[in-house]
Structures are given as C-alpha cells and as structure tokens.
Amino acid sequence: MLCFDQCSIQTQTVSEKGVTYYSALPTDDMAGYYQAMTTSKKHQAFSTMPISGKSVMAVPGIFTVYGSRLIAAGYTQADQILALYINAGKQQEQFLLQLTALTGANNSKYMMDAFLGVQAFYQHFLM
C-alpha cells in the first residue's frame, strides 16, 4: 500500500490506453526510494464490484493460460481465489507460492497483479 498522504513523496500520474500508472518519485529526504503501481481496468472492476458469480478469469493477472490451469485444478470461481488468499493468512509470500504452484506461472508480475487485486477486494468489501 502506498502512503502518498503520510509520506513525503511527490506523485506523478500518467494515463495511457485505459491503464493508469502511479509513480512515487523520491524526494531528497528519502534517498533513492522508488515504488510504482499499476492499476488496470480489470483490477478496478474486480476490486470494486461484488465477487459472487465471477469466473476465475476475472481476477487480475489471471488470463487464458493461467485460468485454464486453475480451472483444471478445481478453482473455477474468483471467490475460490479469495478463499486461497484468506487461507494463506493474507500473507503475500504464502499466497504467491500457492497461486504459482497451481498455475505453474513463470511470470511473477501476473501473480503479483492477482495478489494486489484480491487484497484490494478484501480491503474494500471485507474489512
């Protein structure tokens, strides 16, 4: 979670082709601190709307190949991925390990997108 309002960070926003990029730029007192976050339309739709009835393909970072692997492993609904997140104790490392094992993913960016989407949904609806 980025702390733009509590930290002394300058922000820059760039929108391009439906994707908004938020960049935290380091200030003098942060000595090289840099963090970036991408929020896609899929992430926004997933994290701000009810999850019931959504396919596993609705989870950010889960596309055709990873989705078909999840379906083959018995994970057909997005709420099952939410349950995986909760069972992992809402811990990033544990969730990513389990999701990577299920999907056979070799791209951690997609798995991180899934984590951030599920985490945002949980924080929006269940906290």
Side-chain angles (χ1 to χ4, degrees):
M1 194 71 135
L2 300 177
C3 57
F4 296 132
D5 56 340
Q6 297 172 358
C7 301
S8 57
I9 302 174
Q10 301 168 355
T11 61
Q12 174 183 354
T13 304
V14 178
S15 291
E16 182 178 313
K17 297 181 182 176
V19 177
T20 303
Y21 301 93
Y22 298 95
S23 298
L25 305 175
T27 57
D28 293 338
D29 60 335
M30 297 193 68
Y33 175 83
Y34 179 78
Q35 185 173 4
M37 181 174 128
T38 303
T39 304
S40 66
K41 286 183 180 181
K42 187 174 182 180
H43 175 95
Q44 290 172 344
F46 180 79
S47 62
T48 59
M49 301 185 68
I51 200 171
S52 66
K54 286 187 181 179
S55 165
V56 72
M57 301 286 200
V59 177
I62 305 299
F63 299 101
T64 308
V65 173
Y66 298 147
S68 63
R69 291 176 185 169
L70 284 169
I71 290 168
Y75 292 84
T76 59
Q77 298 293 313
D79 57 358
Q80 292 173 300
I81 303 302
L82 177 63
L84 187 69
Y85 169 77
I86 293 169
N87 288 336
K90 299 174 275 190
Q91 300 296 313
Q92 176 181 335
E93 184 178 346
Q94 189 65 28
F95 176 79
L96 293 176
L97 284 172
Q98 291 177 10
L99 195 57
T100 300
L102 288 168
T103 60
N106 60 1
N107 187 328
S108 61
K109 186 227 181 288
Y110 292 129
M111 297 301 97
M112 188 58 147
D113 288 347
F115 172 76
L116 292 173
V118 172
Q119 180 184 51
F121 176 87
Y122 182 86
Q123 290 174 347
H124 187 262
F125 286 101
L126 302 175
M127 284 192 79

